[in-house]
Amino acid sequence: DAKTTQPPSMDCAEGRAANLPCNHSTISGNEYVYWYRQIHSQGPQYIIHGLKNNETNEMASLIITEDRKSSTLILPHATLRDTAVYYCIVRVFNDYKLSFGAGTTVTVRA
Amino acid sequence: DADVTQTPRNRITKTGKRIMLECSQTKGHDRMYWYRQDPGLGLQLIYYSFDVKDINKGEISDGYSVSRQAQAKFSLSLESAIPNQTALYFCATTGSSYNSPLHFGNGTRLTVT
């Protein structure tokens, strides 16, 4: 499975878009990019996933580069409740045999 | 009701004691997982199971064992707890379709003194 690289932390102003980068340069053709977040010490929550096309749902948008070596999660209008640790992982669709990395700690400031 | 329920939510135990953490899910999924999280770190996979008769070790299985009693139940045991097993433990489940995300329980906070 491909590994991912994320910045350890980032700040975002409330109401602004938050753009979270993720590098996955060794991703295989059948591996999906998934994003999860963990608020405080709760169980991680699924956000979005994609293979090669950009995806959007009610929570966020996922932009995957054409070569699939990196992606960006976009929270369009960050709120204080979006403060969390965000994990980017790559998998053969829903096969979670490997661990999650340390993720990006996102702090949304008023 | 939660889709994935973990019990207990918190547990304090002493070194050398046997302890079991339980997980049940109402999603009807075959795949279940146990993860461990240490402060400031990501989630490490302990064990996983793709169906009732299938049990597999994850990256940090030493000192742990599991039991898949039914499709909906997946228990994690510490046969002889040690202080460095103090952590937050998460159970999760996912279906077999490509669109199926991972659903987590709210965790068990375990302290071994």
Side-chain angles (χ1 to χ4, degrees):
Chain A
D1 283 353
K3 294 192 182 298
T4 62
T5 304
Q6 298 178 253
S9 65
M10 62 183 295
D11 286 358
C12 176
E14 188 178 22
R16 304 296 294 269
N19 297 300
L20 284 63
C22 180
N23 287 318
H24 31 80
S25 59
T26 60
I27 191 170
S28 301
N30 62 346
E31 289 182 315
Y32 286 70
V33 180
Y34 283 80
W35 283 85
Y36 285 78
R37 73 179 183 183
Q38 186 177 22
I39 297 173
H40 194 44
S41 294
Q42 297 176 22
Q45 175 191 25
Y46 166 79
I47 301 173
I48 199 168
H49 75 279
L51 182 62
K52 53 184 177 182
N53 296 323
N54 297 339
E55 302 288 344
T56 296
N57 64 18
E58 65 278 5
M59 292 181 68
S61 294
L62 174 61
I63 308 299
I64 303 174
T65 58
E66 191 169 346
D67 63 8
R68 302 210 323 123
K69 293 184 177 182
S70 65
S71 60
T72 301
L73 179 74
I74 301 173
L75 307 177
H77 305 285
T79 71
L80 298 179
R81 287 180 293 180
D82 291 323
T83 292
V85 178
Y86 287 77
Y87 298 100
C88 167
I89 58 177
V90 293
R91 293 287 183 271
V92 174
F93 64 92
N94 64 343
D95 184 356
Y96 292 91
K97 290 198 293 289
L98 293 185
S99 303
F100 289 39
T104 297
T105 299
V106 174
T107 303
V108 180
R109 302 190 186 280
Chain B
D1 288 340
D3 294 327
V4 182
T5 301
Q6 292 185 234
T7 57
R9 291 298 310 276
N10 292 281
R11 180 72 182 267
I12 301 174
T13 192
K14 294 188 176 183
T15 298
K17 293 291 187 181
R18 184 180 188 277
I19 184 169
M20 178 182 288
L21 309 183
E22 301 194 18
C23 176
S24 62
Q25 51 103 354
T26 59
K27 301 293 290 182
H29 290 161
D30 288 326
R31 302 181 180 210
M32 297 189 73
Y33 303 78
W34 274 104
Y35 291 91
R36 163 183 171 154
Q37 185 173 38
D38 294 285
L41 300 180
L43 285 79
Q44 295 176 282
L45 182 64
I46 307 172
Y47 269 95
Y48 62 99
S49 169
F50 283 179
D51 64 42
V52 175
K53 297 181 181 179
D54 176 75
I55 302 290
N56 303 281
K57 293 183 177 180
E59 295 176 316
I60 57 163
S61 60
D62 288 349
Y64 301 95
S65 63
V66 291
S67 172
R68 185 81 185 267
Q69 301 94 323
Q71 183 198 43
K73 296 183 181 296
F74 192 36
S75 300
L76 176 72
S77 294
L78 287 68
E79 296 300 327
S80 180
I82 57 177
N84 76 1
Q85 291 178 312
T86 293
L88 190 55
Y89 290 84
F90 289 104
C91 173
T93 186
T94 187
S96 56
S97 72
Y98 84 98
N99 257 340
S100 182
L102 201 58
H103 297 271
F104 284 85
N106 278 326
T108 293
R109 185 172 298 280
L110 177 66
T111 303
V112 184
T113 62

